[in-house]
C-alpha cells in the first residue's frame, strides 16, 4: 500500500472551550491535544504530516519535529481547512484526514481504516462509530443498501431532521481519500448549510453523486473517536487516556496499586517492578528506574529517579535522584536538586539547586539551598542554609564526612571542611577547617539560687 499523506485539521476557533488557549493546545496527560493524532499517524506509517493552522499561527513552536503547517486564511469550515492544504496533495497517494480535536485515535484504528479503504477500492472511506450519546456529532445517513448517503451535521440546528437526529452512528472526523478525487471535489463544496461553512463531509456526497464508491468503516473502539469540543468532553477523554497509560505501564511490569487515584502523563517512563502507591501524580519528563517505590501522595514533575528509590509523601520538580536514595515523608525537592547514590532526604526537608553527596543524610527539618555537600555527611535536624543576603544567592560548601549539629544556620558563602563538626545551635558565618569543630553561639550561664530569688518554687505566683 502506498504511504498516506496526513492532513490534521487544527485551525478551528474552539469557541465551545470558552478558553483563551487554542483548543488543540489544551493539555491531555502531558501533551497538547494536537500531539496525539500526530503520534498515532506517524506510528501507523504516515508520510508527510501536514497540520492546518489558523492565520495567527497559534501552533507555532508546539508541534513535533518535522510536521509541516499550512494556514487556513479564514475559519470557513473543515472543508476550507483541507482546501488550504490542497496544493500539497497533488499527486500524492491516499490522503488520511484526522481532526486535531480527536486525540485518542490509535495506530490500530488508523491502520484498520487504511486497510478497509484499500480493500474496498473506495475513493473515500469515513470512519464511523456508534455512540450512546451522539450529541453534536455528524450522523451517518446510510442508504437502503447500507452505503453512505451523507453526513447530517448537528452542531447547530438546521442541518439534520428528526429522523437523522435519532441516528447514533457518527462521523469520527477521520477519513481516507484518493487524492485526485478529493482535489476534484474540494472546489465544488458549497456553504449552503446551517453554519454557512464548507463542510468536509460534503465531499462524500459529491463523490457519491459522481458514482464513486464511498465506504464507511465502523470502528469497534468508541473511545478512539471521541472529539473534544468543550472541557466536559476533554475530561471524559482524559479519563480514557489516563486509564490507557496506566494499563500500558501495568503490562510492562509497573505495579500501580490504585489506578483510580493515580495520574501519569503520557511522557513518563517507569521501570519494571516499580510500585506506584495511591494518590501519586507523575508529570512531564519524569522517569524512574526499576524497583522504585513511589508514593503514596507523591507528585513528581520532570524528576528522574534511578533504581530502588523510595519516595513517599513528597513533591519533586526538576530533581535528579540516583539509585538507592530515600526521600520523605514530607520532602520538597526543587529544581537543580541532585541526590547521589544512597543519600537520604527525610522529613520536612526542602532541597533546592544543591548537590547532596553519596550516602549523605539530611534527615529532619532542614532547608538546603545552593549547597554542595560531600559524601557520607550527616546534617543535624534543623540545618538551614542562609543562602540569600537580600541581594544575591551564595553557595554553601560542605565536605565529606561532616557531622553537623542540630539547629545550625550556615550563612553563605561558607565552607565546612571534610570531617569537620558544628556545635548545636551555631550560626556559622566563617569557614570551619577540615577536622575542626565550629562553635558559634552564646555560652550558657546559670543563675544560682534562682528559685529563692524569685520568691518560691515553680508554679506558685511570686
Ligand atoms: C466535525 C464533523 C462532524 C464529526 C465531528 C467528529 C464537519 C462539518 N463536521 O464536527 O461530522 O462528527 O467533527 O469529531 O466536519 N477546523 C479547522 N478549520 C475550520 C473548522 C474546523 O481546521 O474552519 C478543525 C478544528 O480545529 C477541529 C476539526 O477541524 O480540529 C473539527 O472541527 P469542529 O468545529 O470541532 O467540528 P465538529 O463540529 O466537531
Ligand atoms: Ca470537534
Amino acid at each position: 500500500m502506498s504511504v498516506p499523506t496526513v492532513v490534521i485539521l487544527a485551525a478551528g476557533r474552539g469557541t465551545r472551550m470558552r478558553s483563551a488557549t487554542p483548543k488543540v493546545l489544551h493539555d491531555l496527560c502531558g501533551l497538547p491535544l494536537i500531539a496525539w493524532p500526530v503520534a498515532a499517524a506517524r506510528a501507523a506509517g504516515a508520510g508527510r504530516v501536514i497540520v492546518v493552522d489558523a492565520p495567527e499561527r497559534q501552533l507555532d513552536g508546539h508541534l513535533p519535529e518535522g510536521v509541516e503547517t499550512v494556514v487556513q486564511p479564514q475559519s470557513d469550515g473543515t472543508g476550507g481547512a483541507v482546501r488550504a492544504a490542497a496544493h500539497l496533495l497533488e499527486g500524492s497517494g491516499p490522503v488520511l484526514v484526522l481532526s486535531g480535536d480527536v486525540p485518542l485515535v490509535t495506530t490500530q484504528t488508523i491502520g484498520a481504516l487504511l486497510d478497509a479503504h484499500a480493500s474496498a477500492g473506495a475513493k473515500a472511506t469515513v470512519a464511523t462509530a456508534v455512540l450512546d450519546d451522539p450529541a453534536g456529532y455528524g450522523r451517518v445517513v446510510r442508504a437502503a443498501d447500507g452505503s453512505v448517503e451523507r453526513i447530517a451535521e448537528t452542531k447547530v440546528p438546521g442541518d439534520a431532521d428528526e429522523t437523522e437526529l435519532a441516528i447514533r452512528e457518527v462521523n469520527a472526523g477521520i477519513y481516507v481519500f484518493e487524492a485526485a478525487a478529493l482535489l476534484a471535489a474540494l472546489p465544488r463544496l458549497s456553504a449552503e448549510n446551517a453554519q454557512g461553512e464548507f463542510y468536509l463531509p460534503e465531499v462524500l456526497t459529491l463523490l457519491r453523486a459522481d458514482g464513486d464508491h464511498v465506504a464507511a468503516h465502523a470502528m469497534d473502539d468508541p473511545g478512539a473517536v471521541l472529539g473534544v469540543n468543550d472541557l466536559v468532553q476533554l475530561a471524559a477523554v482524559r479519563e480514557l487516556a489516563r486509564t490507557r497509560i496506566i494499563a500500558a505501564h501495568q503490562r510492562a511490569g509497573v505495579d500501580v496499586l490504585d489506578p483510580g487515584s493515580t495520574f501519569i502523563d503520557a511522557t513518563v517512563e517507569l521501570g519494571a517492578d516499580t510500585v506506584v502507591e495511591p494518590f501519586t501524580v507523575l508529570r512531564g519528563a519524569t522517569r524512574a528506574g526499576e524497583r522504585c517505590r513511589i508514593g503514596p501522595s507523591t507528585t513528581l514533575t520532570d524528576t528522574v529517579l534511578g533504581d530502588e528509590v523510595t519516595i513517599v509523601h513528597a513533591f519533586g520538580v526538576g530533581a535528579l535522584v540516583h539509585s538507592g536514595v530515600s526521600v520523605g515523608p514530607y520532602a520538597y525537592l526543587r529544581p537543580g536538586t541532585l541526590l547521589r547514590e544512597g543519600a537520604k532526604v527525610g522529613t520536612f526537608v526542602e532541597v533546592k539547586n544543591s548537590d547532596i553527596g553519596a550516602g549523605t543524610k539530611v534527615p529532619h527539618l532542614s532547608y538546603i539551598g545552593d549547597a554542595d555537600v560531600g559524601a557520607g555527611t550527616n546534617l543535624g535536624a534543623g540545618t538551614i542554609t542562609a543562602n540569600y543576603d537580600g541581594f544575591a544567592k551564595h553557595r554553601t560548601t560542605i565536605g565529606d564526612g561532616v557531622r553537623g549539629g542540630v539547629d545550625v544556620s550556615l550563612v553563605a558563602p561558607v565552607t565546612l571542611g571534610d570531617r569537620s563538626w558544628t556545635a548545636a545551635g551555631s550560626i556559622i558565618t566563617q569557614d570551619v577547617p577540615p577536622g575542626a569543630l565550629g562553635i558559634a553561639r552564646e555560652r550558657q550561664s546559670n543563675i544560682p539560687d534562682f528559685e529563692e530569688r524569685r520568691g518560691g518554687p515553680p508554679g506558685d505566683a511570686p
Side-chain angles (χ1 to χ4, degrees):
M1 201 195 330
S2 44
V3 177
T5 300
V6 182
V7 178
I8 306 182
L9 312 185
R13 284 173 299 232
T15 48
R16 290 169 280 182
M17 299 294 276
R18 302 261 185 271
S19 165
T21 303
K23 173 161 73 175
V24 298
L25 293 184
H26 276 258
D27 180 82
L28 176 58
C29 299
L31 293 170
L33 287 179
I34 184 68
W36 290 73
V38 170
R42 284 195 163 153
R48 296 173 80 173
V49 177
I50 302 157
V51 170
V52 184
D53 198 355
E56 53 273 27
R57 292 195 155 274
Q58 54 193 12
L59 307 183
D60 271 1
H62 297 282
L63 292 170
E65 200 69 15
V67 170
E68 300 171 59
T69 54
V70 290
V71 166
Q72 181 184 5
Q74 66 242 26
S75 197
D76 54 3
T78 48
V82 179
R83 274 184 183 176
H87 61 288
L88 298 175
L89 304 177
E90 303 278 353
S92 74
V95 178
L96 171 68
V97 176
L98 303 177
S99 296
D101 66 348
V102 181
L104 296 187
V105 57
T106 59
T107 308
Q108 294 87 319
T109 51
I110 290 173
L113 176 66
L114 291 167
D115 288 348
H117 176 76
S119 58
K123 287 281 193 271
T125 303
V126 53
T128 75
V130 176
L131 298 185
D132 290 335
D133 178 13
Y137 289 87
R139 310 300 162 78
V140 181
V141 183
R142 289 182 183 259
D145 64 356
S147 62
V148 177
E149 208 159 68
R150 72 182 201 104
I151 306 295
E153 293 302 324
T154 66
K155 178 176 174 179
V156 302
D159 286 327
D161 63 27
E162 281 301 311
T163 328
E164 290 165 339
L165 283 171
I167 297 171
R168 289 197 301 123
E169 186 182 14
V170 306
N171 166 22
I174 301 167
Y175 320 76
V176 192
F177 297 99
E178 291 308 298
L182 175 65
L183 292 173
L186 284 175
R188 294 153 59 203
L189 294 177
S190 80
E192 280 153 33
N193 51 53
Q195 294 184 75
E197 289 185 347
F198 299 109
Y199 291 170
L200 180 62
E202 198 198 341
V203 168
L204 307 176
T205 318
L206 293 170
L207 294 181
R208 183 184 166 93
D210 292 347
D212 286 332
H213 181 30
V214 175
H217 175 66
M219 308 225 261
D220 46 16
D221 175 8
V225 314
L226 290 182
V228 173
N229 296 314
D230 60 27
L231 291 175
V232 176
Q233 290 176 325
L234 177 56
V237 161
R238 189 177 282 131
E239 182 57 22
L240 285 175
R242 197 175 68 81
T243 310
R244 206 198 256 183
I245 291 164
I246 289 174
H249 285 296
Q250 290 171 319
R251 289 195 190 96
V254 178
D255 193 3
V256 180
L257 299 192
D258 181 22
S261 71
T262 305
F263 294 78
I264 305 179
D265 276 352
T267 40
V268 169
E269 295 170 25
L270 302 172
D273 287 315
T274 282
V275 176
V276 180
E277 300 252 17
F279 304 103
T280 291
V281 180
L282 305 177
R283 295 203 185 287
T286 292
R287 281 189 278 137
E290 299 184 352
R291 298 176 302 285
C292 292
R293 197 154 196 110
I294 307 173
S297 299
T298 291
T299 299
L300 302 178
T301 302
D302 302 335
T303 289
V304 175
L305 312 182
D307 297 326
E308 293 175 13
V309 170
T310 300
I311 181 162
V312 51
H313 282 276
F315 193 96
V317 184
L320 176 57
V321 178
H322 287 180
S323 295
V325 166
S326 156
V327 178
Y330 310 109
Y332 181 17
L333 308 180
R334 291 170 54 196
T337 292
L338 166 59
L339 307 181
R340 295 183 190 263
E341 185 119 13
K344 176 190 168 84
V345 164
T347 310
F348 302 113
V349 173
E350 174 179 345
V351 183
K352 183 213 79 173
N353 191 27
S354 293
D355 179 338
I356 308 293
T360 286
K361 294 187 169 63
V362 191
H364 332 272
L365 298 161
S366 292
Y367 170 59
I368 307 298
D370 303 307
D372 298 293
V373 185
T377 282
N378 194 321
L379 299 180
T383 298
I384 305 291
T385 52
N387 56 327
Y388 186 52
D389 59 12
F391 302 97
K393 301 279 172 65
H394 301 282
R395 289 199 83 79
T396 299
T397 306
I398 301 174
D400 297 337
V402 171
R403 291 292 169 266
V406 301
D407 196 15
V408 167
S409 297
L410 302 166
V411 182
V414 74
T415 297
L416 304 184
D418 290 344
R419 296 172 319 284
S420 64
W421 302 66
T422 51
S426 290
I427 296 176
I428 301 290
T429 55
Q430 295 166 28
D431 292 354
V432 180
L437 167 68
I439 308 180
R441 65 181 186 215
E442 195 76 340
R443 253 182 198 288
Q444 179 172 340
S445 61
N446 293 336
I447 300 169
D449 306 324
F450 182 70
E451 180 180 328
E452 215 166 276
R453 291 196 203 183
R454 86 187 263 284
D460 294 342

